[in-house]
């Protein structure tokens, strides 16, 4: 392994470590949707989920090739929309 490959590996490991720390900070008891749940519950297409993930507009974690989304995030967004629906802007 040359120096350049070593530095890239080190950078990748540091990024993984940071992601794992952020993941651990979330509540262990928190429930998660998978992509199929999101598509059914909110009538999202696969391409819409992809665009939202790519733009970092929704929190997500990739585990074993599957994406997971915290349920609490979607419920908080829905509650906010319901609260704001009655307000005149």
């Amino acid at each position: 392994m040359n120096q350049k490959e070593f530095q890239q590996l080190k950078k990748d490991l540091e990024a993984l470590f940071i992601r794992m720390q952020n993941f651990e900070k979330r509540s262990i008891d928190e429930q998660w949707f998978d992509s199929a749940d999101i598509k059914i519950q909110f009538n999202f297409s696969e391409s819409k989920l992809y665009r939202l993930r790519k733009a970092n507009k929704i929190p997500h974690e990739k585990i074993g090739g599957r994406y997971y989304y915290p349920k609490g995030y979607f419920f908080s967004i829905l509650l906010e929309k319901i609260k704001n629906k009655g307000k005149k802007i």
Side-chain angles (χ1 to χ4, degrees):
M1 178 180 296
N2 64 33
Q3 185 67 20
K4 186 176 180 179
E5 291 172 331
F6 178 75
Q7 290 300 325
Q8 183 61 43
L9 180 60
K10 184 178 174 184
K11 183 180 173 183
D12 292 343
L13 285 173
E14 288 171 352
L16 180 59
F17 182 73
I18 290 170
R19 286 189 69 199
M20 288 176 65
Q21 284 181 322
N22 290 338
F23 189 73
E24 288 175 357
K25 288 178 185 175
R26 294 183 182 163
S27 171
I28 293 173
D29 295 332
E30 186 171 31
Q31 295 182 344
W32 295 77
F33 284 129
D34 66 4
S35 293
D37 295 329
I38 295 291
K39 290 189 281 188
I40 291 169
Q41 293 288 326
F42 301 103
N43 198 26
F44 284 2
S45 66
E46 186 65 39
S47 59
K48 179 169 182 119
L49 273 176
Y50 171 79
R51 286 191 307 272
L52 291 170
R53 284 192 311 262
K54 187 165 175 93
N56 286 320
K57 291 189 176 185
I58 57 173
H60 62 280
E61 291 295 330
K62 185 176 183 181
I63 302 171
R66 294 181 69 181
Y67 289 97
Y68 295 91
Y69 313 86
K71 283 184 179 182
Y73 171 78
F74 289 95
F75 289 129
S76 66
I77 294 297
L78 288 173
L79 286 174
E80 192 63 36
K81 287 192 179 235
I82 290 169
K83 288 178 188 176
N84 290 334
K85 189 171 185 169
K87 296 179 182 178
K88 299 273 183 180
I89 301 175

